[in-house]
Amino acid sequence: MNHDLLLANIAKHIQLDEDEKQRFCAYLQVKKVKKKQHLLLEGGVNRFAMFVVSGCLRSYHLDENGFQYIQQFAPEGWWIGDMYSLITQEPGHLYIDALTDAELLLISKVNLEKLYKEIPKFNFYFRILAERSLVSYQERSMENLRLSAKERYGKFCLRYPTLTDLLSQKQIAAYIGVTPEFLSKMLHA
Amino acid sequence: MNHDLLLANIAKHIQLDEDEKQRFCAYLQVKKVKKKQHLLLEGGVNRFAMFVVSGCLRSYHLDENGFQYIQQFAPEGWWIGDMYSLITQEPGHLYIDALTDAELLLISKVNLEKLYKEIPKFNFYFRILAERSLVSYQERSMENLRLSAKERYGKFCLRYPTLTDLLSQKQIAAYIGVTPEFLSKMLHA
DNA sequence: CAGAAAAAATAACATAGGTTAAGAAAAGCG
DNA sequence: CGCTTTTCTTAACCTATGTTATTTTTTCTG
């Protein structure tokens, strides 16, 4: 079943009885997307937190020169969204799209708020997730200041071991913040 | 009273009755530190989340060449800590010290866990904090990739308006990730 | 499978920011 | 208040990474 991967993930942090599982799953909706399909555009409001059941998504910024800067990859088992827009329900700056065909579970902001009220231990679950994610972005902020491109490439490989040989160099370059030309040169040097 | 600033901050997000306030405050300890005093060294375990009542703290990394990279400034009303070490209770990589004499409220990891059990709405409070902090570090990660030093300086000024003319250029340089020499040149160009 | 589109490689040249060094100004401290 | 230490400024030179352009290779799609 679609929901098993997510329920297993949740079970690592909080215990849900059958009734709670039912109620939680009732708040979810399944979505299938094709490769390259967009789920969020700059200026849009992100109304859903998205859990990747299969496939791979990414979130990125686009600058005025058309360069992409990838904030996150979301392979199987990861959550993704524009946290800023999701929290505030204001228009955000991120794009989110699918790098492969993918199957998602969505929970709307509205349902998420209901969930927190009805089953407060989800505050605990999402606090743990937010804290871990926070640590990861704190590290990346510092890495992006103090490490060379080659070192950032190394960190990318550690963070996404399953994606290292799956993604194009263009995607990896946009994640570590160099041009594809430079990444190519670097990998051959 | 020392605790008012923190209680006011909490009151913005959750409602505590008098008894809950009492119990919460009983978990806190007051600490006064002098300028330049360290609260955490690399390799140490961060046992306390720290709330700044007055003064200013900072957290930073030190690289093998002795360069500092500042992760966060914490003026009055901010929380600070080594999130990684605090969550895992493993040795961390951050240094934390005082940029001015400062007065802090500490809550130990142990008491924090008790607090979550006894007054579960603190899960909500710290979830909100973690989420906001997450958004801020997500933004900084991307800024550190895509913005020039001058643009990062601009973001620093927006993020810490009260510190812009308080901190030395050396501190600001270590936050935006350039050498003090380059920052000086940049500000005079 | 063929043609088109996207990605990767390579190379010459350009630039933001780093390095080193030295002096000037400011801040800390006895 | 004077001495010491730290910070700031300036400038010449250096390096990692960007830019532009071209060719080759790979992937997509009918």
Side-chain angles (χ1 to χ4, degrees), chain B residues 17-121:
Chain B
D17 62 35
E18 273 311 315
D19 176 59
E20 289 167 334
K21 282 186 197 174
Q22 288 289 133
R23 283 191 286 154
F24 171 64
C25 289
Y27 282 141
L28 301 174
Q29 56 190 93
V30 178
K31 177 152 189 155
K32 299 192 187 212
V33 291
K34 288 282 173 200
K35 184 169 176 169
K36 295 199 178 170
Q37 188 177 331
H38 272 89
L39 290 144
L40 186 64
L41 296 174
E42 175 163 29
V45 173
N46 186 190
R47 308 242 176 241
F48 300 91
M50 299 178 260
F51 180 83
V52 179
V53 174
S54 69
C56 184
L57 269 55
R58 103 247 237 221
S59 58
Y60 65 97
H61 285 261
L62 205 56
D63 79 6
E64 54 284 359
N65 307 309
F67 283 98
Q68 296 177 172
Y69 295 87
I70 295 177
Q71 176 175 98
Q72 190 199 338
F73 296 109
E76 197 173 307
W78 290 54
W79 285 96
I80 194 168
D82 178 339
M83 197 68 178
Y84 167 76
S85 177
L86 196 58
I87 291 175
T88 62
Q89 293 296 102
E90 300 279 332
H93 290 282
L94 282 177
Y95 293 79
I96 298 179
D97 68 2
L99 292 172
T100 67
D101 290 2
E103 208 175 330
L104 312 174
L105 291 173
L106 310 188
I107 182 163
S108 70
K109 166 82 169 170
V110 171
N111 283 347
L112 196 54
E113 296 299 338
K114 285 189 205 164
L115 187 66
Y116 288 137
K117 283 229 176 76
E118 291 178 24
I119 313 180
K121 56 189 149 183

Side-chain angles (χ1 to χ4, degrees), chain A residues 16-87:
Chain A
L16 298 180
D17 62 36
E18 274 311 314
D19 176 60
E20 287 167 335
K21 282 184 197 173
Q22 288 288 133
R23 283 193 285 155
F24 171 64
C25 290
Y27 281 141
L28 301 174
Q29 54 189 94
V30 178
K31 177 152 189 154
K32 300 192 185 209
V33 292
K34 289 282 172 200
K35 182 167 177 172
K36 294 199 178 168
Q37 188 177 331
H38 273 90
L39 289 145
L40 186 65
L41 296 173
E42 175 163 30
V45 174
N46 186 190
R47 308 240 176 243
F48 300 90
M50 299 178 260
F51 181 84
V52 179
V53 174
S54 69
C56 185
L57 268 56
R58 101 247 239 224
S59 57
Y60 64 98
H61 285 260
L62 205 57
D63 78 6
E64 55 283 359
N65 307 310
F67 283 99
Q68 296 177 173
Y69 295 87
I70 295 177
Q71 176 174 98
Q72 190 199 336
F73 296 108
E76 198 174 306
W78 290 54
W79 285 96
I80 194 168
D82 178 339
M83 198 67 177
Y84 167 76
S85 177
L86 196 58
I87 291 175

Side-chain angles (χ1 to χ4, degrees), chain A residues 111-136:
Chain A
N111 283 348
L112 196 54
E113 296 300 338
K114 285 190 204 161
L115 188 67
Y116 288 138
K117 282 228 176 79
E118 290 177 23
I119 313 180
K121 54 189 149 180
F122 274 95
N123 276 296
F124 179 86
Y125 172 68
F126 283 106
R127 175 173 66 75
I128 299 297
L129 253 53
E131 285 176 356
R132 289 183 182 199
S133 189
L134 172 55
V135 166
S136 159

Side-chain angles (χ1 to χ4, degrees), chain A residues 83 87 130 134, chain B residues 12-13 126-138:
Chain A
M83 198 67 177
I87 291 175
L134 172 55
Chain B
K12 282 183 209 157
H13 301 107
F126 284 106
R127 176 174 66 76
I128 300 298
L129 252 54
E131 285 177 355
R132 289 182 182 202
S133 190
L134 172 54
V135 167
S136 159
Y137 281 98
Q138 283 180 337

Side-chain angles (χ1 to χ4, degrees), chain A residues 132-163:
Chain A
R132 289 183 182 199
S133 189
L134 172 55
V135 166
S136 159
Y137 281 97
Q138 283 180 337
E139 283 171 1
R140 187 140 91 107
S141 298
M142 294 294 96
E143 288 165 11
N144 289 349
L145 286 185
R146 55 180 238 272
L147 301 185
S148 68
K150 189 166 290 191
E151 292 169 312
R152 276 176 275 143
Y153 181 80
K155 293 289 183 183
F156 160 78
C157 295
L158 290 176
R159 216 178 309 241
Y160 296 106
T162 61
L163 298 183

